[in-house]
Amino acid sequence: MTTVVRIDPTLCRGHAICALYFSDGVEIDQWGFGRVVEPTLTTRRAVRKALRAAAACPNGAVVVTEHGEAVPVGADHPTDTAGW
Amino acid sequence: MIDLADLLAASAQVSAAPGGRAPDAVAVGGLGDPGTVLLSGPGTGSGPESLDAHLDRWAGLPVLDGAQVLALLRAGGLDGRGGGGFPLARKVAAALASGGPPVLLVNASESEPASAKDATLCACRPHLVLDGAALVAAALGVDHVVVHLHRGAGAPVDGISRAVAERRGGGHDVVAWTVSLGPDRYVSGEASAIAGYVHDGDARPRFAMAPLAVEGPTGRPTVVVNAETVAQLGVMARIGPRAWAALGTGGSPGPRLLTVAGAVDRPGRVVELVGPGTVGDVLAGTGCTAAPAAVLVGGFAGTWLSGDEAWQAPYERSALACLGAGPGCGLLGVLPHGACALVETARIVGYLAGESAGQCGTCVAGLPRLASAMSSLADGTFRRRGLRRIETLGDELLGSGACAHPDGVVRLVRSTLEVFRDDVVRHLAGEQCRGADHPPVLPVPVPHPAGAGPRPQEHFS
Ligand code: SF4
Ligand code: SF4
């Protein structure tokens, strides 16, 4: 199974919220824009974190795919803000 | 119908290429000059070659089925001539393996401001371009081809439009042609930007998880192929893959088109290199008698090589790769002795920074800073710690965008700092720049002011 995470740079607006949920997988540059360190996710833990980051990004810029198909994010990946 | 096996066998027996040339002979020439292949025929000023004249010179295009075209592409080893150098056979195979009817787009927009090779082919040899495009259509099993050009290009648009009208009139092809005219901006020539523009009219590059050949903006596999690449295929289908490959070198099969700019006798001239020539051979054929100060190889987003190094370098992909360069869009920009590469580079980076499509944060924020750092390095107002800043900006820009635009600018900047280290030191020390009063060398357009200009949407809609 290949799960891949990337940040769509055309949607990212530099909130750096993704890094709160996936701190070891996302680098934030000097302007706050996120970049994925290693797109291929090899552990379930990393997949879970990536999906949380995807759910938390206000711009929907974090994209996770499994076998090339987009993984829907939302209710299954609760974040601190999801219960508001 | 020509059998591919026959074609391969026949071409294997032709040890030298057409015209009985010796295998190692090197020819450099422009439109209509002896020894050229793609540019052979009428000279400059004769306009687009008519279909009849084209067929007189080249005979009819062999009728090949999809598998035969793919075999031809593999046997010849045709590499993309738009900049990336990706083998066309692999693109086609990826699209075929991805399922769904593919979309075929010919990129004749040539967004590189100093380059004119695709424009020359479209303006003067349009049927060679369309022949090759028809063959790629056969390989993909599609019956519709879109040829994309810049709206204001003039002669190339006329050439292609006339050629398409001639072919439609005579029922020459089984494919239907559409001519697409898009905005004249640097990144709007990027493959995903063209595919996107043809789909929905927005000519900015697209972010995608999958390569275009697997899934384009329409959801269908999308093959975007450069105009010179298909013109090469039009030649290869007639003379056979081996004879075609023998017109180049082992590392770069087939003849190569280049544009020369800067300190040459006719800047902006397009020449064809046939045989195993060096960069020096090309420059000697365009009015240079000795190695210049430096050569910008591969386009504005290319690599500087010192004049001596470039002069000796075989003009082929593998040899240039050893020097950290590549053929790119085929541009050779010649810097004369006495001009300053830092000044030239600062102008190019300033232009490229203004060409960001304004979509990706790091590109929007980082390129103008890189441009201003390069311009203060050029005018001598730069401090030493600025070098570390350029380094950091480069690291952040590399791979940051939806397209490779920032990567190209970083490549240019890094090669500049490496090749012209002595000049950098002199500029840092505040010494009088030797080239400060030299007139501009390379044809860099006036930059669009980054951030201050019209919204990207206005340029790109
Ligand atoms: S949370 Fe979303 S918008 Fe913010 S930096 Fe991460 S990817 Fe970009
Ligand atoms: S990287 Fe720059 S040029 Fe490329 S799409 Fe993003 S903003 Fe546009």
Side-chain angles (χ1 to χ4, degrees):
Chain A
M1 170 183 106
T2 19
T3 309
V4 174
V5 60
R6 283 178 63 198
I7 291 177
D8 179 344
T10 68
L11 294 179
C12 173
R13 286 295 167 267
H15 306 278
I17 296 170
C18 50
L20 296 179
Y21 293 96
F22 195 16
S23 54
D24 43 353
V26 174
E27 261 172 18
I28 300 295
D29 72 13
Q30 57 177 302
W31 299 283
F33 299 107
R35 186 209 304 238
V36 171
V37 181
E38 172 48 59
T40 307
L41 302 172
T42 47
T43 64
R44 291 180 53 170
R45 195 177 141 77
V47 172
R48 205 163 53 235
K49 287 183 174 185
L51 286 168
R52 287 220 175 120
C57 172
N59 296 90
V62 180
V63 188
V64 182
T65 58
E66 218 170 85
H67 306 297
E69 298 293 325
V71 181
V73 294
D76 294 347
H77 310 287
T79 62
D80 297 347
T81 54
W84 280 65
Chain B
M1 171 113 176
I2 292 188
D3 183 26
L4 185 72
D6 288 351
L7 194 62
L8 288 168
S11 67
Q13 286 156 18
V14 187
S15 58
R21 54 179 286 282
D24 283 340
V26 176
V28 176
L31 267 179
D33 287 346
T36 56
V37 181
L38 275 81
L39 299 183
S40 62
T44 37
S46 48
E49 190 174 32
S50 70
L51 182 56
D52 289 342
H54 167 75
L55 292 175
D56 273 352
R57 283 199 313 117
W58 281 107
L61 188 65
V63 178
L64 302 173
D65 67 24
Q68 290 173 322
V69 177
L70 198 55
L72 190 64
L73 289 173
R74 290 202 170 111
L78 178 55
D79 52 337
R81 302 299 174 91
F86 196 78
L88 182 54
R90 276 172 50 199
K91 238 187 228 184
V92 168
L96 289 174
S98 301
V103 176
L104 173 58
L105 308 170
V106 176
N107 181 3
S109 67
E110 196 156 54
S111 297
E112 184 75 31
S115 183
K117 67 180 181 65
D118 297 336
T120 300
L121 284 176
C122 292
C124 305
R125 302 289 183 269
H127 287 291
L128 211 46
V129 175
L130 299 183
D131 280 350
L135 290 171
V136 181
L140 291 168
V142 299
D143 55 10
H144 180 217
V145 183
V146 178
V147 184
H148 179 83
L149 301 109
H150 277 159
R151 198 176 281 143
V157 176
D158 294 346
I160 289 290
S161 305
R162 252 175 70 174
V164 163
E166 277 180 297
R167 293 167 90 109
R168 275 192 196 129
H172 187 75
D173 301 299
V174 289
V175 294
W177 303 96
T178 302
V179 179
S180 154
L181 302 177
D184 185 4
R185 293 299 297 271
Y186 191 80
V187 295
S188 61
E190 194 263 348
S192 75
I194 291 174
Y197 178 76
V198 169
H199 176 53
D200 62 17
D202 181 347
R204 294 178 296 181
R206 308 293 164 102
F207 170 80
M209 295 292 276
L212 277 177
V214 173
E215 186 181 346
T218 52
R220 290 156 59 185
T222 303
V223 172
V224 180
V225 57
N226 166 263
E228 183 198 333
T229 313
V230 286
Q232 296 281 2
L233 179 56
V235 172
M236 196 207 286
R238 288 169 165 113
I239 68 174
R242 300 219 172 95
W244 176 84
L247 297 170
T249 70
S252 265
R256 284 136 294 164
L257 292 187
L258 300 97
T259 312
V260 288
V264 290
D265 57 2
R266 272 182 284 160
R269 181 171 179 231
V270 173
V271 294
E272 181 172 359
L273 169 63
V274 179
T278 60
V279 171
D281 290 328
V282 177
L283 296 182
T286 56
C288 295
T289 47
V295 182
L296 178 60
V297 180
F300 282 0
T303 309
W304 283 109
L305 297 179
S306 76
D308 293 329
E309 193 174 44
W311 194 267
Q312 308 291 335
Y315 188 79
E316 60 173 16
R317 195 171 296 285
S318 45
L320 292 173
C322 295
L323 302 172
C329 68
L331 179 73
L332 294 181
V334 179
L335 187 82
H337 295 281
C340 175
L342 302 183
V343 172
E344 287 299 315
T345 305
R347 292 171 56 232
I348 297 175
V349 176
Y351 161 73
L352 293 176
E355 291 301 302
S356 157
Q359 308 192 91
C360 310
T362 311
C363 178
V364 172
L367 286 188
R369 281 172 174 78
L370 192 55
S372 81
M374 291 307 287
S375 94
S376 52
L377 180 59
D379 65 24
T381 56
F382 199 66
R383 295 289 153 260
R384 191 165 297 274
R385 66 184 142 76
L387 282 182
R388 178 146 337 121
R389 222 169 102 70
I390 290 182
E391 209 41 44
T392 314
L393 277 169
D395 288 342
E396 295 201 326
L397 282 162
L398 277 181
S400 69
C403 76
H405 183 55
D407 306 56
V409 183
V410 172
R411 180 166 54 232
L412 171 70
V413 166
R414 291 196 167 161
S415 85
T416 309
L417 298 185
E418 199 180 303
V419 172
F420 305 103
R421 197 169 309 172
D422 297 349
D423 297 282
V424 172
V425 170
R426 266 195 295 275
H427 278 238
L428 283 173
E431 273 176 43
Q432 174 65 32
C433 169
R434 291 172 300 167
D437 300 325
H438 200 280
V441 176
L442 296 173
V444 183
V446 178
H448 289 257
R455 299 295 308 145
Q457 196 60 49
E458 290 168 33
H459 290 305
F460 284 87
S461 56

